[in-house]
Amino acid sequence: MTTTESGKQLLHLVFGGELEQVDGLTFRDLDGLDLVGIYPDYASAYAVWKQKAQQSVDNAHMRYFIVHMHRLLDPETDGK
């Protein structure tokens, strides 16, 4: 189990998909979302996000995101 110095995991989800509009946040096909994975810290998630974003650079509608799951699971602490 991977934890931070405080003993809490700070889980991050990386996912992506094609957007209907380049400047929007509505996905063209929810069934076609690329759920890349869940990572134990931001640095790991960022490395994977960067790799996936670079692989899709030729598709202007493709976007990848990092979701701070730890903030959703425990909003009172905000990961601190």
Side-chain angles (χ1 to χ4, degrees):
M1 176 169 80
T2 305
T3 59
T4 64
E5 290 178 14
S6 66
K8 287 190 169 187
Q9 288 183 324
L10 300 178
L11 299 177
H12 293 79
L13 166 67
V14 178
F15 78 99
E18 282 195 82
L19 300 174
E20 288 182 355
Q21 297 179 10
V22 176
D23 60 348
L25 289 175
T26 303
F27 293 97
R28 285 186 180 169
D29 177 18
L30 292 178
D31 292 331
L33 288 179
D34 181 9
L35 300 176
V36 180
I38 298 174
Y39 300 88
D41 54 54
Y42 182 79
S44 301
Y46 180 81
V48 173
W49 168 85
K50 186 174 180 180
Q51 177 186 19
K52 295 299 280 189
Q54 288 175 341
Q55 289 174 354
S56 64
V57 72
D58 292 333
N59 183 349
H61 286 88
M62 190 70 170
R63 292 286 189 274
Y64 280 88
F65 299 90
I66 299 174
V67 177
H68 298 266
M69 292 179 63
H70 60 93
R71 293 181 184 168
L72 298 173
L73 295 170
D74 192 4
E76 294 295 319
T77 62
D78 194 23
K80 297 175 185 166

